[in-house]
Amino acid sequence: MECLCSTNLQPQGFSKNNLHHHHKLLSSSHSTQYIQQITFTSLRKPTYLRAKRSFIVAESGKQGWDLGRFLKTLYYFNGPPSPAKFFASLIGKFSNSTSSEPVKEMGTSDIILVSGATGGVGRRVVDVLRKKGLPVRVLVRNEEKAKKMLGPDIDIIVGDITKESTLVPEYFKGVKKVINAVSVIVGPKEGDTPDRAKYSQGIKFFEPEIKGDSPEKVEYIGMKNLISAVKKVVGLQNGKLLFGYEGDLSAELPWGALDDVVMGGVSESSFQIDPTGSETGGPTGLFKGVVSTANNGGFTSIRTKNFSVPEDLSAYDGLELRVKGNGRRYKLIVRISPEWDTVGYTTGFDTVKDQWQTLRLPFSSLRPIFRAKTVFGAPPFDASKIVSLQLMFSKFEHDGKLNPTFVEGPFQLPVSTIRTYMKDPITPRFVHVSSAGVTRPDRPGLDLSKQPPAVRLNKELDFILTFKLKGEDLIRESGIPYTIVRPCALTEEPAGADLIFEQGDNITGKISREEVARICVAALESPYALDKTFEVKSVIPFSEPFTVDPENPPAEKDYNTYFETLKDGITGKEALEQTPVSV
C-alpha cells in the first residue's frame, strides 16, 4: 500500500474528530451493530454499488471519496471485515505508527546436499566440500553409520530415495546444490569383507551380483523421487513461470485493484486478460487505469491475493517481466508477510514507449518500504516466503522522492509474463555420478568381449546400465542445471594422475574415487560443465598402479581446462542406431 507522506491526510468528509468518534463507538453497546451496518450493507450489494456508489461528502473544491470501492477493496484482499479491525486499519492509515514487523535474520542457505554420502565416492565428496569450508548436508539411510564415518557433527537427513515418503520437503530447506553419488549396490556372490575390500577392487576381479534394491528401484525410481524432492530448492534453468502465457504453458494469479482510494484518493485501475494483446497475437495480461492526484492521491496498483502456500523462489536471483512499455516508471512490490498492511520489498523499473521489453529485477535490488518510507530495521528479504506480488504506477517513489515520469490520466501496461530467473553465468545445481558404458549394452554391432564386465553382464545384473541411463535421462529432462559424470572403473588409488575426458561413451579404463569426488565439486562452480555429460578416466593403464609421494604431491588440477573441451548434446545415445566407434 502507498502512503502519500502527509500526516494530516484523511478521507474526505472524515475529520480527526469524526474518526475519533467512530473509534469510540467500538466501546459502546451498539458498536458491533453500528459497524456491521456500515460495512456489510455496502458489501452485500455489489450491484447497487456499481449503479450508485456511496460517496463521503467532499470538502469544497475536492472530489468525493468512494467509500464503497474502499470497502470492496478491503473485502477482496481480506475477506469479510472484522468490525474492530476495520476502523483500527482506517485510523492507522493516517497515523504516524511504524511497522511492527519483527527483526530477524535469514536462516542458513546455499547448502550442498550429498546423497549417497557413505559410499566410496560420496564420503570423499563430503571431505572435499568440508576442506573448502562449504556447508554440507548428507542424505543417508543409516544415521549411525554416517556419524561413525563422517563425524558426529555432520548435518544429516535420514531418508531413502527409493521411498518417496521419506524425502520430507522440510529436510531440503536451504539446499541450493546437490551431488548425487547414490548407486545400486554390487558385490561378490561369494561375499565380501566387512570393509568391502573385494568391492573396492572393482567387479573385474570377482563374480558380481546385485545386493539389496534393484537397479530399477535405485537408479530410475530413486532418481525420479530425488529430482522431485530437490527440484524446487535447486531451481529450473529457464525459471518458473508465475504468471502469463508461453506456448502451451499458462499460469494465473489472483490479481485485484489496490488504488489510492484506500488513502482517500480517486484513481482507478483494473487487471484484465487481452486475448490478442501479446507480441505474437496471443493472450496477455493488461494493467490499466486512470491515475489522479485529486484528494492528495496519485497511485494505482494491482496486487495478488495472498498465496495459499508461500512461494519458495530462493533458488532464483530475481523476477523477469515481459512488458510493453509506455515510457513510464513502475514499481514491483513483493511481500513475505501475509499481513494486510506491512513492509513491501520494492524496486522500480523503467519502460520504453511502445516496445516489448524483458526486464530483470534482482531480489538484491528490493528495498523494504512501509508507507513510502524505507524501513532500515526490516528483516532481510527472504525469497523462500513470498506471499504476494504487486505492480504499481505512482507519483511517489519513496522517502519523499517523486517519480520523474509520472503523468496524470489514463495509462496501460501489457504484462505478458512474470517468471523467475537465474543470473548468468549459470552453473550446475545437480551433479550426478553415473557410469561409463551406460549406452553400450544395446549398441548394435558392439563386440561385448572387449567391453568392461558391467557392459557384458548388464542383463545378469538386472539391467544395471540400462536403468542408469534411464536415470540420466530424467535429469536431462528435468530442467535443472546439471552435470553427469561417467567414471570408468573406480579404484582406491589416490587422485593426481593426468585425466582423459571424452564424450560419446566409448572409452574404458580406470579412475580413482578421490578424483571423481574432486571433479564433482569443481563442476558445481563451472559454467563450462553446465548440461554436459562426459566420461572420464586416468591415463594410467590397469596394469600399472598409481601412487603419490606424500612429500611431493601433484599440483591441484584446474578442472575447467577439461570442462572447456566438452560439447552440448553428446550422450552416446547417438550411437545406438549407428555403427559403434572402435575402442
Side-chain angles (χ1 to χ4, degrees):
M1 186 176 299
E2 186 87 345
C3 176
L4 306 187
C5 306
S6 175
T7 57
N8 62 356
L9 178 65
Q10 56 198 37
Q12 299 308 308
F14 272 89
S15 68
K16 289 183 179 179
N17 290 334
N18 283 340
L19 284 173
H20 178 66
H21 168 70
H22 292 305
H23 183 59
K24 285 181 64 179
L25 282 171
L26 294 175
S27 61
S28 73
S29 60
H30 302 290
S31 61
T32 301
Q33 180 181 357
Y34 172 82
I35 297 168
Q36 285 179 340
Q37 182 179 358
I38 293 177
T39 59
F40 290 104
T41 300
S42 300
L43 294 172
R44 285 173 184 163
K45 301 180 179 179
T47 304
Y48 168 78
L49 287 172
R50 284 195 295 269
K52 183 180 179 182
R53 286 177 174 165
S54 175
F55 287 93
I56 300 297
V57 178
E59 294 178 10
S60 178
K62 294 190 177 182
Q63 297 186 33
W65 180 51
D66 192 339
L67 175 60
R69 189 156 63 92
F70 170 62
L71 295 175
K72 289 173 66 178
T73 299
L74 290 183
Y75 185 89
Y76 180 82
F77 290 103
N78 293 296
S82 159
K85 288 184 177 180
F86 171 74
F87 275 107
S89 171
L90 188 62
I91 293 167
K93 300 296 177 281
F94 314 110
S95 71
N96 289 321
S97 61
T98 58
S99 172
S100 60
E101 195 80 37
V103 177
K104 57 185 178 179
E105 295 299 320
M106 290 175 61
T108 303
S109 60
D110 297 334
I111 295 167
I112 300 171
L113 177 72
V114 181
S115 49
T118 58
V121 173
R123 66 176 181 265
R124 291 172 170 87
V125 168
V126 172
D127 186 54
V128 173
L129 291 170
R130 282 173 148 179
K131 287 179 179 177
K132 289 180 172 290
L134 298 171
V136 183
R137 184 175 297 162
V138 300
L139 171 60
V140 297
R141 293 184 296 176
N142 188 318
E143 183 176 8
E144 183 179 352
K145 178 182 177 182
K147 287 186 174 180
K148 184 177 180 180
M149 181 181 294
L150 304 172
D153 61 337
I154 190 72
D155 182 4
I156 291 180
I157 299 171
V158 179
D160 184 341
I161 66 169
T162 69
K163 298 178 175 64
E164 185 178 12
S165 62
T166 69
L167 305 179
V168 181
E170 187 67 21
Y171 291 169
F172 303 96
K173 187 174 182 179
V175 169
K176 292 296 173 287
K177 299 180 181 181
V178 177
I179 296 178
N180 179 43
V182 173
S183 179
V184 69
I185 299 174
V186 179
K189 284 185 177 180
E190 66 274 16
D192 206 343
T193 63
D195 61 353
R196 302 188 73 195
K198 292 182 182 179
Y199 169 78
S200 295
Q201 298 177 63
I203 64 174
K204 181 177 181 179
F205 302 101
F206 59 82
E207 188 175 359
E209 67 176 2
I210 299 296
K211 307 284 187 178
D213 291 325
S214 70
E216 179 180 15
K217 198 168 185 180
V218 176
E219 307 288 350
Y220 180 67
I221 296 174
M223 181 65 75
K224 185 181 295 186
N225 292 339
L226 181 60
I227 289 172
S228 177
V230 304
K231 197 171 187 177
K232 180 178 287 188
V233 294
V234 301
L236 303 176
Q237 185 171 338
N238 293 327
K240 178 180 180 179
L241 184 67
L242 300 177
F243 168 78
Y245 307 89
E246 288 184 341
D248 295 332
L249 295 177
S250 65
E252 301 288 345
L253 285 175
W255 297 105
L258 181 54
D259 302 320
D260 57 18
V261 67
V262 298
M263 310 303 295
V266 298
S267 301
E268 289 194 67
S269 69
S270 65
F271 181 78
Q272 57 192 245
I273 302 300
D274 182 344
T276 59
S278 78
E279 54 197 310
T280 59
T284 190
L286 184 62
F287 171 32
K288 63 184 296 185
V290 178
V291 64
S292 169
T293 58
N295 298 3
N296 293 321
F299 75 87
T300 63
S301 77
I302 52 171
R303 175 172 165 177
T304 64
K305 289 183 177 180
N306 287 344
F307 307 141
S308 56
V309 177
E311 283 278 0
D312 182 355
L313 303 182
S314 57
Y316 304 98
D317 295 295
L319 296 178
E320 180 181 279
L321 281 59
R322 184 70 177 167
V323 303
K324 185 178 182 181
N326 59 358
R328 308 300 178 202
R329 179 178 296 174
Y330 293 83
K331 296 179 186 179
L332 170 72
I333 303 171
V334 185
R335 284 181 172 79
I336 60 175
S337 169
E339 295 298 319
W340 160 249
D341 193 17
T342 186
V343 170
Y345 294 82
T346 306
T347 188
F349 60 93
D350 293 305
T351 66
V352 179
K353 188 175 182 179
D354 298 329
Q355 286 190 21
W356 282 99
Q357 302 168 258
T358 297
L359 301 167
R360 286 190 164 184
L361 309 179
F363 290 141
S364 61
S365 70
L366 296 175
R367 175 191 295 262
I369 302 293
F370 184 68
R371 299 180 187 165
K373 294 181 181 180
T374 301
V375 182
F376 294 101
F381 176 73
D382 186 347
S384 70
K385 299 178 180 179
I386 294 175
V387 297
S388 71
L389 302 177
Q390 186 173 355
L391 291 172
M392 177 177 285
F393 180 47
S394 175
K395 173 182 178 180
F396 307 94
E397 299 275 85
H398 53 78
D399 299 330
K401 298 178 184 177
L402 297 178
N403 180 353
T405 71
F406 178 78
V407 175
E408 289 191 73
F411 73 93
Q412 64 177 30
L413 182 72
V415 182
S416 177
T417 57
I418 300 175
R419 65 181 313 116
T420 60
Y421 74 91
M422 294 180 181
K423 66 182 179 183
D424 296 323
I426 300 174
T427 56
R429 303 286 181 93
F430 191 105
V431 175
H432 173 60
V433 181
S434 183
S435 174
V438 293
T439 68
R440 296 180 213 173
D442 296 325
R443 191 180 293 183
L446 191 66
D447 185 352
L448 291 178
S449 66
K450 297 180 179 179
Q451 292 300 309
V455 177
R456 298 197 309 270
L457 299 172
N458 182 56
K459 183 177 181 180
E460 290 76 8
L461 293 174
D462 297 341
F463 297 96
I464 182 173
L465 295 181
T466 301
F467 284 109
K468 281 183 178 288
L469 180 59
K470 286 179 177 290
E472 286 187 8
D473 287 340
L474 290 174
I475 299 170
R476 284 187 281 263
E477 295 163 3
S478 70
I480 296 171
Y482 71 88
T483 300
I484 297 173
V485 184
R486 293 171 171 172
C488 291
L490 294 166
T491 75
E492 292 294 296
E493 294 174 340
D498 289 337
L499 302 175
I500 295 174
F501 278 44
E502 286 284 350
Q503 293 178 282
D505 195 20
N506 297 307
I507 63 173
T508 60
K510 68 176 182 177
I511 185 170
S512 83
R513 291 179 172 87
E514 175 68 25
E515 194 80 67
V516 174
R518 295 183 183 183
I519 290 169
C520 289
V521 174
L524 288 176
E525 302 301 325
S526 176
Y528 300 110
L530 178 66
D531 295 349
K532 302 298 195 304
T533 301
F534 62 91
E535 300 78 48
V536 60
K537 71 174 184 176
S538 157
V539 299
I540 309 298
F542 267 114
S543 58
E544 297 179 19
F546 177 72
T547 59
V548 168
D549 179 3
E551 301 297 322
N552 189 29
E556 191 168 331
K557 294 182 179 68
D558 178 4
Y559 293 101
N560 261 336
T561 61
Y562 297 98
F563 295 142
E564 286 176 350
T565 67
L566 301 175
K567 298 179 180 179
D568 293 328
I570 301 177
T571 67
K573 294 175 68 174
E574 307 82 17
L576 292 179
E577 298 179 0
Q578 301 174 9
T579 302
V581 178
S582 300
V583 295

